[in-house]
Amino acid sequence: MLEPSMSTGQEPARRSDRLVRARLGLAGAAVAVLFYCAALTPSLLPRAWYLQGIVAGLTATIGYGAGATLGALVRLMWRRRFPRATRVAWWALLAVAVLGGLTMLALGTKWQQELRARLDMEPLATYDIVRIVGVSVLTFVILLGIARLLRLGIRRLARLLRRRVRVPRPIAYGVGLTVVTYLTVGFVDGFLVDNLLAAADRTASLANGRTTAGIVAPRTALRSGSPMSAAPWHSLGLQGREFVGTGPTVDQLTAFARRPAREPVRLYAGLETAESAQARAQVVVREMDRAGAFDRAVIGVVTPTGTGWVDHNVTDALEYMYGGDTALVSMQYSYLPSWISFLADQSKVSESATALITAVHARWSELPAATRPKLLLFGESLGSFGTETAFANSAAMTSGADGILLVGPPFANPIRQALLDTRDPGSPIWDPVFTAGTVEFTQHPPDLRTPAGARPPAVVYLQNSSDPIVWWSPELIFQRPAWLDHPRGPDVSPDMHWYPLVTFWQTAVDQVFAINVPAGHGHVYGSGVADGWAALAPPPGWSAADTVRLRQLLDRAG
């Protein structure tokens, strides 16, 4: 009679316990809850509800994996089991998960609303909390399911080796792990990544062949793509055609300058203009000679973003400042977005920027120093990385042109990183101070309005303290960043904290919509480039009032 009573009294509990453990491990679940709550804390930029859900689900999955691994190691070293304590711990974890999750969801919503107010953005809807939870749970279930399938594959392979080949258990599991990891990495890298990149390449290639509505081939000899140009219209690509087919008119330039203006020179070489970066650079230089670029007051060499895009604020600002007495040149190195170009092949932007800057500088250096035009360089985002890699160090960069403007530089920029390491003690990394030198960093472009008589900088960096493109780096996985030290940037939440792994993913996801914020925040610099140009190379008689007037004009133009 004793045996049946034990079966009816304790066996259901054991089965229930085994069932729970088969679904989730206690250590993994505990760390997953901790990571989930941490993922709801604020990051650099406000996130849409679905992004917040994906980040929370992904981060919880990472936490579960870390906790499950730790739990497995503990069980391997300490084989004692405590079923009753485990059941109590599960109930306690459930209570903590519910109460903690609800508390963090409420706080997370509050932080998101405060961050949106800080950046002058629309608030989240109240019901977005429900959608965040739904997306996060779905993300966690899908990712955990994939991980469980891989684990099942390892176990099946190990069992097969033990039964058929009589391989010892540790070796069998080691072989199983190696084989499954190799196949998984091969599938992801050789199939998913390659096919996704191929699909992105095809899509970008098709987009590169289109022309934005309303833009037509120029008829003037001062533009590439014209009948007189050595760079045919069809070879310029989508962004190249927009570069040479847009810009302020002579009448608009005259109205702003309050004096007769000239028609600006704009020259561009697309990927189809010539086969190599060096050949394209030589085409641009020949175009410059043909169009009289070296007779202008200013030559601007622009390293574009991954697709070949050039910010119209940058080009228009220079043309307005100099009344059209400018020659702006650029060259395409890819038609993929910057983040894909950065991951797939950074050498393309380096090779292209170096080829163009070197070729233009060589031709410019042949002119008499007293009469040659100002040589200005510009790079934004990945383009700033390319511009930097054309120089060996900061000394070569500051002496290599009359002014260099770099906007939204990513973490990989070698010269910027070296400069930040030498900033004055006590100055924040997002607004570094250099007592000696001719390099300026700023989050607030109006600060560049140098008083009369002060020496202008040779290089200006614009970097928003909330720009994830600037501040994301692999070191965020295990190292607290200096940009979270105090004092913080004006648009960084005081409630943001660093958590291992969590902050890395948060900032990585912030990059997805880094340009979907108002100007002056995230990766949007807008008309602030006018202050950069005015600090570097103001035309004669230029004043701070002119800079304000120019920024207002650029803001109205959108």
Side-chain angles (χ1 to χ4, degrees), residues 57-254:
L58 174 61
T59 308
T61 307
I62 295 171
Y64 183 85
T69 301
L70 180 62
L73 291 175
V74 171
R75 289 193 300 272
L76 186 64
M77 293 184 293
W78 192 14
R79 296 185 176 277
R80 293 188 63 184
R81 299 289 184 268
F82 303 94
R84 180 172 297 177
T86 300
R87 286 193 291 273
V88 172
W90 268 110
W91 283 110
L93 177 61
L94 179 62
V96 170
V98 172
L99 294 177
L102 290 174
T103 301
M104 289 304 298
L105 281 167
L107 286 173
T109 302
K110 171 179 172 289
W111 288 324
Q112 286 291 318
Q113 303 291 41
E114 291 175 351
L115 192 54
R116 286 174 173 270
R118 186 182 292 267
L119 270 64
D120 297 321
M121 296 176 64
E122 291 293 325
L124 286 172
T126 305
Y127 56 80
D128 282 339
I129 295 179
V130 178
R131 299 198 286 188
I132 290 171
V133 173
V135 171
S136 61
V137 171
L138 180 62
T139 301
F140 178 80
V141 169
I142 291 174
L143 294 177
L144 185 62
I146 294 172
R148 290 287 175 86
L149 286 175
L150 295 176
R151 187 182 68 177
L152 179 62
I154 294 171
R155 289 181 173 178
R156 291 289 176 86
L157 184 55
R159 190 175 301 144
L160 180 64
L161 290 173
R162 292 179 62 195
R163 289 180 178 177
R164 298 293 178 87
V165 192
R166 303 296 181 184
V167 176
R169 178 186 176 92
I171 297 178
Y173 273 91
V175 172
L177 176 63
T178 302
V179 171
V180 171
T181 301
Y182 177 79
L183 293 175
T184 302
V185 171
F187 174 76
V188 171
D189 185 50
F191 179 76
L192 286 182
V193 174
D194 285 353
N195 280 281
L196 286 173
L197 286 177
D201 186 79
R202 288 193 298 270
T203 303
S205 178
L206 291 173
N208 191 60
R210 296 199 297 265
T211 302
T212 304
I215 294 178
V216 296
R219 309 302 299 175
T220 173
L222 302 180
R223 303 287 171 117
S224 293
S226 67
M228 294 71 75
S229 172
W233 177 250
H234 69 83
S235 74
L236 301 182
L238 172 67
Q239 301 299 345
R241 287 187 284 272
E242 184 159 343
F243 175 75
V244 301
T246 58
T249 65
V250 173
D251 289 341
Q252 290 172 321
L253 295 171
T254 298

Side-chain angles (χ1 to χ4, degrees), residues 236 272 399 443 497 521:
L236 301 182
E272 298 179 16
S399 62
Q443 143 94 15
H497 302 283
H521 307 286

Side-chain angles (χ1 to χ4, degrees), residues 290-550:
R290 178 191 60 78
F294 295 100
D295 297 327
R296 298 298 177 120
V298 167
I299 291 175
V301 182
V302 178
T303 305
T305 61
T307 60
W309 176 77
V310 177
D311 186 352
H312 72 90
N313 285 302
V314 173
T315 53
D316 293 0
L318 263 184
E319 290 171 345
Y320 277 115
M321 284 178 65
Y322 281 87
D325 195 11
T326 56
L328 305 180
V329 301
S330 188
M331 193 168 84
Q332 186 180 21
Y333 54 86
S334 174
Y335 41 67
L336 292 170
S338 288
W339 68 273
I340 298 180
S341 297
F342 181 81
L343 294 175
D345 192 356
Q346 297 176 23
S347 64
K348 287 183 178 179
V349 62
S350 299
E351 181 184 13
S352 179
T354 300
L356 183 57
I357 291 171
T358 302
V360 173
H361 187 275
R363 177 68 181 86
W364 173 80
S365 299
E366 297 172 358
L367 303 173
T371 59
R372 63 192 178 197
K374 292 180 180 179
L375 178 60
L376 306 179
L377 309 182
F378 174 82
E380 182 169 0
S381 194
L382 187 57
S384 73
F385 171 80
T387 301
E388 278 197 12
T389 55
F391 301 94
N393 49 48
S394 59
M397 188 168 70
T398 55
S399 62
D402 293 308
I404 302 176
L405 179 59
L406 301 174
V407 174
F411 77 94
N413 281 34
I415 295 177
R416 169 183 172 269
Q417 189 57 54
L419 286 169
L420 291 178
D421 290 341
T422 61
R423 70 188 185 276
D424 289 359
S427 64
I429 196 170
W430 54 271
D431 190 19
V433 175
F434 301 89
T435 302
T438 56
V439 179
E440 289 279 353
F441 285 78
T442 188
Q443 143 94 15
H444 188 235
D447 291 343
L448 295 169
R449 295 169 192 171
T450 310
R455 182 184 178 187
V459 180
V460 167
Y461 285 89
L462 300 186
Q463 53 176 35
N464 291 332
S465 56
S466 60
D467 186 349
I469 306 294
V470 172
W471 304 115
W472 179 89
S473 71
E475 286 78 12
L476 282 174
I477 296 176
F478 298 116
Q479 182 177 331
R480 188 180 187 275
W483 46 267
L484 280 180
D485 293 342
H486 293 285
R488 294 186 176 183
D491 52 354
V492 176
S493 171
D495 296 307
M496 183 179 181
H497 302 283
W498 175 77
Y499 302 99
L501 291 172
V502 176
T503 305
F504 170 83
W505 289 114
Q506 285 181 316
T507 311
V509 173
D510 283 342
Q511 296 180 67
V512 177
F513 291 105
I515 60 173
N516 292 351
V517 293
H521 307 286
H523 201 54
V524 183
Y525 293 85
S527 63
V529 293
D531 280 293
W533 286 134
L536 288 165
W542 188 264
S543 66
D546 291 323
T547 303
V548 173
R549 194 162 56 91
L550 177 55

Side-chain angles (χ1 to χ4, degrees), residues 258-298:
R258 297 167 182 166
R259 57 181 170 81
R262 299 182 66 181
E263 183 176 359
V265 175
R266 289 197 183 193
L267 306 170
Y268 195 95
L271 287 175
E272 298 179 16
T273 302
E275 291 186 359
S276 67
Q278 288 72 22
R280 289 192 290 274
Q282 291 305 317
V283 170
V284 171
V285 172
R286 290 198 301 271
E287 284 281 273
M288 295 175 73
D289 281 324
R290 178 191 60 78
F294 295 100
D295 297 327
R296 298 298 177 120
V298 167

